[in-house]
C-alpha cells in the first residue's frame, strides 16, 4: 500500500448498510479486515467510524476504506478516490457485484402497474442516490412512463418505506439489499408493502479508499474478511464476496436529472 495507508489516524467507515441491528456484524467484518492488512493491525483504526459525515469521510485523505453509493461515485468522487471493488450480494437476477432497486407500494393499494401512479406521491431517500432516485428515474424513462408528479424526500430508505406504509407516500424505490434487511428484521410497516417493479441491475455500492492508496491489499483483505465471517453474519449482511469492477462500469451510467421535491 502507499506509505500513507498505515499512518495514524486513518479512517474506516462501512455505513451504507450499517443499520442498528447490524452494527455487531459490521464490527466483526472490520476486525477481520484489519487483521488481514499486511502491515499488522496495530497501524489501522481499531473500530469503524460512525460519527464522521459521509461526504467528509469519502473525500478525506485519511480514508482507508469506506463504502459509497454508485451515483455519488460517478457524479463527484471518482476522480478524487481509488476504487477498491464492489460487494457481491447474490441477489436473484443480478450479476456478481451488481444490485437493483425494488419499487414498492402498499399491499392494500389496488393500483397494479406504474402508469396508474401518475398522480401518486413518490418517496425517495435523496437525489444523489443510485437506488433511491437514479435507478427508478431510468426505469420510468426507459418505459415512457412519467414519474409521479409529487415527490417526497425522506433522507433514508427505511424512512421511504415507512412513508409508504403510513400512507404519506404511495411509491418508493428501495435498494434491494436494504429491502431484504428490512424484511429480515421485520422493520415497522414492512409487512404492509409489496414489490410492484424491479429496476435493471447496476454496479453495487463501491468500496473506496483515498486517492494514491494501493487498492489491492484492501481488496484481498476484504475478500478474506468476508470469507472468514460465519454464515449468520454473511446472511445478515447479505454480503458474500467482493468483485473487481472497473470504474468504467459505474461511469457508463448516465447522470439523472435532479428531483424537485414537492414536500
Amino acid at each position: 500500500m502507499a506509505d500513507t495507508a498505515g499512518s495514524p489516524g486513518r479512517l474506516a467507515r462501512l455505513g451504507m448498510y450499517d443499520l442498528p441491528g447490524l452494527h455487531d456484524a459490521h464490527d466483526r467484518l472490520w476486525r477481520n479486515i484489519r487483521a488481514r492488512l499486511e502491515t499488522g493491525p496495530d497501524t489501522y483504526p481499531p473500530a469503524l467510524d460512525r460519527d464522521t459525515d459521509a461526504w467528509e469521510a469519502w473525500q478525506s485523505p485519511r480514508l482507508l476504506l469506506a463504502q459509497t453509493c454508485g451515483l455519488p461515485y460517478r457524479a463527484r468522487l471518482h476522480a478524487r478516490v481509488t476504487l477498491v471493488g464492489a460487494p457481491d450480494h447474490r441477489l436473484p437476477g443480478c450479476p456478481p457485484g451488481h444490485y437493483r432497486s425494488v419499487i414498492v407500494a402498499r399491499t392494500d393499494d389496488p393500483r397494479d402497474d406504474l402508469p396508474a401512479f401518475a398522480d401518486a406521491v413518490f418517496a425517495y431517500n435523496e437525489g444523489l442516490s443510485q437506488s433511491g432516485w437514479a435507478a427508478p428515474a431510468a426505469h420510468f424513462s426507459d418505459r415512457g412512463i412519467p414519474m409521479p408528479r409529487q415527490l417526497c424526500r425522506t433522507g433514508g430508505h427505511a424512512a421511504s418505506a415507512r412513508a409508504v406504509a403510513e400512507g404519506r407516500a404511495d411509491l418508493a424505490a428501495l435498494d434491494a439489499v436494504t429491502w431484504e434487511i428490512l424484511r429480515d428484521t421485520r422493520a415497522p410497516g414492512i409487512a404492509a408493502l409489496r414489490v410492484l417493479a424491479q429496476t435493471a441491475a447496476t454496479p453495487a455500492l463501491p468500496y473506496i479508499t483515498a486517492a494514491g492508496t494501493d487498492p489491492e491489499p484492501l481488496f484481498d483483505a476484504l475478500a478474506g474478511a468476508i470469507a472468514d465471517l460465519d454464515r449468520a453474519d454473511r446472511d445478515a449482511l447479505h454480503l458474500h464476496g467482493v468483485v473487481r469492477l472497473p470504474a468504467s462500469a459505474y461511469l457508463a451510467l448516465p447522470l439523472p436529472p435532479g428531483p424537485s421535491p414537492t414536500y
Side-chain angles (χ1 to χ4, degrees):
M1 302 181 76
D3 290 343
T4 58
S7 61
R10 293 304 293 263
L11 185 155
R13 189 182 191 281
L14 298 176
M16 299 305 288
Y17 296 118
D18 196 22
L19 299 176
L22 297 180
H23 284 357
D24 289 347
H26 276 112
D27 288 340
R28 286 187 285 271
L29 173 61
W30 170 245
R31 287 196 293 269
N32 287 355
I33 295 169
R34 187 172 179 266
R36 283 178 165 270
L37 292 171
E38 63 185 28
T39 57
D42 291 343
T43 59
Y44 294 102
L48 291 171
D49 186 306
R50 292 187 170 99
D51 299 320
T52 303
D53 172 78
W55 280 99
E56 180 182 345
W58 294 337
Q59 298 177 91
S60 173
R62 299 189 300 111
L63 179 64
L64 176 64
L65 183 66
Q67 190 174 29
T68 185
C69 174
L71 182 52
Y73 174 75
R74 70 180 185 273
R76 297 184 185 178
L77 295 173
H78 67 274
R80 305 178 184 181
V81 301
T82 299
L83 179 64
V84 175
D88 184 15
H89 299 293
R90 295 185 183 173
L91 290 170
C94 293
H98 290 66
Y99 79 142
R100 58 167 37 111
S101 302
V102 294
I103 300 175
V104 300
R106 285 184 301 281
T107 56
D108 62 0
D109 192 317
R111 291 171 287 189
D112 60 3
D113 60 18
L114 291 177
F117 286 84
D119 293 319
V121 176
F122 181 86
Y124 68 100
N125 56 335
E126 62 172 282
L128 266 177
S129 169
Q130 172 61 30
S131 54
W133 178 253
H139 186 87
F140 278 86
S141 177
D142 291 347
R143 288 156 181 78
I145 304 170
M147 285 285 287
R149 294 185 180 92
Q150 301 181 74
L151 303 177
C152 169
R153 185 184 184 279
T154 67
H157 285 302
S160 294
R162 286 195 302 274
V164 178
E166 295 170 1
R168 292 179 284 112
D170 303 295
L171 286 180
L174 311 177
D175 175 323
V177 179
T178 302
W179 169 248
E180 293 300 332
I181 292 169
L182 294 175
R183 293 175 67 200
D184 291 347
T185 57
R186 300 180 182 179
I190 204 70
L193 303 180
R194 61 188 169 99
V195 174
L196 185 68
Q198 299 186 64
T199 70
T202 57
L205 281 65
Y207 294 109
I208 59 172
T209 186
T213 302
D214 181 1
E216 290 304 312
L218 287 166
F219 181 96
D220 293 343
L222 183 55
I226 295 169
D228 287 345
L229 287 174
D230 64 31
R231 182 173 178 177
D233 280 347
R234 285 198 301 272
D235 289 348
L237 297 174
H238 292 269
L239 180 60
H240 300 282
V242 61
V243 177
R244 287 182 173 89
L245 291 183
S248 59
Y250 293 91
L251 301 181
L253 297 174
L255 296 175
S260 298
T262 305
Y263 69 93

